[in-house]
Amino acid sequence: MKNYIVLKSLLLLMAFVSFVGNASAEIAADTSFFEKGNVKYKKGDFLGAIEEFDKVLAKDPKNVEAYFNRGICRTEIGDNESAIEDFNNVLELNHNHYKAFIKRGIAKEQLGDQKGAIDDFSKALVHSPKDPDALSHRANIKYLLSDYAGSIKDYTTLIELAQPNNFEAFYKRGLARNEYGRFKEAIADFSRVIELYPKYNYAYFYRGFAKNHIDDYKGAIEDYTKVIELDPNDKFSYYNRGYSKLQVMDFDGADKDYQKATEIDPKFEEAYYQWAEVFATSGNTKAAMEKFNKAVELFPNHKDAYFNRGAYLTEIDKSKEAITDLTKAIELNPKDKEAYYFRGIAYAQLNKNSEACLDLKQAEQLGDVRATEMIKSVCGRNTPNLIK
């Protein structure tokens, strides 16, 4: 079953900081430019605000707050490269301006420089270890970089900072815990999200996902059912609930769920395969083949359509037909180790051991661990490696 992880939008950017209302005696710039810039920013006139801060910097090229405020305006209009230049100037003039690290990190994040952004958020946290914006942004990026342990740690720190009602931190920590395989802890996080927002369908969805992974299929079915109540067109919930029902041998229920999933999205490829699996498991070979055939009809250029039908044909000892499908799957993806493995099995079923050994050894070289034992059985322990 595929993991349908949908990361919610990142936390909103920090509120625009209050601009300096009065400059020191050493600053020659007209303070009215700050006030005008502040007013224009609040009205959403970011270009106008930038012009005001340009005037400040024309008179005082070392004005830290003018660079900082102009950088924020530039991020608002999507000019992140120029914003970074402004924040660079801030940090050259004031190495301890931790908010400039945060804002520069956000700009880098927008430009796809994830590692650079993490570095900036980490520097900000050196100066302000409990800053929630730096923690949340760093946690989000660590998640995207598959550093689930790191993201869990940052989300946990956020929650411990007197934020027991920060539903987004609980939700995202739950996502990270799911990815990290800590399903029971993920369930606790999603349950907390549901306490805070009882109609938040994603929390039910991913809690059901976690329950499936600890074999709590009844609990998973209940969660997916709740998602469907909240969003009747959620095809993934029908798909995953069908999987859960299949595990408890509710074939009729699984059949109906996969039917519904494909009604919502007639091109939902994985649903056809799982739908066929319902009939294969229940022993209805005819119905299973109908679904596999439908998938090939709908997706004639997809290797999985041929692979899944070919693998099933191997299981029901229709070896010649299986070889045809698996050969097509290999043509579409020459590095499909599973296709080589099952084609090797199909050849062995036909007593074509030379062909079987070639395929099984190719599967082994591609990393299919099952192939090693089959090679011993089909090819013999001392068979030379036929792959050149």
Side-chain angles (χ1 to χ4, degrees), residues 32-294:
S32 66
F33 295 142
F34 283 100
E35 296 168 3
K36 290 179 182 178
N38 190 14
V39 170
K40 289 182 178 181
Y41 173 84
K42 290 179 179 178
K43 290 182 177 180
D45 181 10
F46 305 121
L47 290 174
I50 289 170
E51 290 178 357
E52 299 300 331
F53 298 124
D54 286 343
K55 294 173 184 177
V56 176
L57 290 166
K59 292 184 178 182
D60 181 10
K62 294 187 178 182
N63 191 299
V64 172
E65 294 305 320
Y67 281 118
F68 182 70
N69 294 344
R70 189 175 69 177
I72 294 174
C73 290
R74 284 173 163 173
T75 60
E76 291 286 356
I77 63 173
D79 186 3
N80 292 294
E81 293 91 344
S82 297
I84 289 172
E85 291 178 7
D86 278 339
F87 299 131
N88 288 343
N89 286 324
V90 172
L91 292 166
E92 285 178 9
L93 295 166
N94 181 358
H95 303 299
N96 297 320
H97 200 304
Y98 78 92
K99 290 184 179 179
F101 282 117
I102 295 173
K103 290 297 186 179
R104 190 174 69 177
I106 292 171
K108 289 179 178 179
E109 185 179 355
Q110 292 298 313
L111 291 172
D113 181 8
Q114 295 171 324
K115 292 184 179 179
I118 284 181
D119 184 59
D120 273 346
F121 296 134
S122 297
K123 289 175 180 176
L125 289 166
V126 170
H127 296 285
S128 181
K130 297 182 179 181
D131 189 279
D133 292 290
L135 283 166
S136 62
H137 278 282
R138 189 173 71 173
N140 289 331
I141 297 175
K142 286 180 177 179
Y143 177 91
L144 293 174
L145 294 175
S146 301
D147 178 9
Y148 302 121
S151 66
I152 290 168
K153 184 177 180 180
D154 280 347
Y155 290 132
T156 299
T157 301
L158 261 180
I159 292 167
E160 290 174 348
L161 292 175
Q163 296 192 32
N165 296 325
N166 187 336
F167 94 97
E168 193 159 6
F170 280 105
Y171 173 71
K172 291 182 177 179
R173 188 174 69 175
L175 293 178
R177 283 174 163 171
N178 262 351
E179 294 287 353
Y180 204 46
R182 291 163 63 170
F183 300 112
K184 291 183 178 179
E185 293 174 340
I187 289 170
D189 278 342
F190 295 127
S191 296
R192 178 57 180 156
V193 174
I194 290 168
E195 288 176 11
L196 294 168
Y197 292 90
K199 293 186 178 181
Y200 192 59
N201 57 331
Y202 285 106
Y204 291 102
F205 181 89
Y206 290 113
R207 189 172 71 174
F209 176 88
K211 288 178 179 179
N212 262 338
H213 280 77
I214 61 169
D215 299 336
D216 179 11
Y217 301 118
K218 181 179 177 181
I221 290 169
E222 291 173 354
D223 278 342
Y224 292 128
T225 300
K226 184 64 177 180
V227 179
I228 291 167
E229 290 175 5
L230 294 167
D231 181 5
N233 291 316
D234 189 324
K235 65 178 182 179
F236 296 121
S237 288
Y238 282 106
Y239 175 91
N240 285 357
R241 190 174 71 173
Y243 172 85
S244 302
K245 288 179 177 179
L246 177 58
Q247 305 312 305
V248 297
M249 302 300 175
D250 178 6
F251 301 121
D252 183 58
D255 175 23
K256 291 177 180 177
D257 276 346
Y258 290 123
Q259 180 178 0
K260 183 64 177 179
T262 56
E263 286 175 1
I264 294 170
D265 180 5
K267 296 292 186 179
F268 192 178
E269 186 173 357
E270 293 84 354
Y272 288 100
Y273 305 144
Q274 279 297 118
W275 199 359
E277 186 65 23
V278 172
F279 296 113
T281 304
S282 64
N284 189 340
T285 301
K286 180 180 178 182
M289 283 303 303
E290 287 176 357
K291 301 308 175 190
F292 284 125
N293 291 340
K294 184 65 174 179

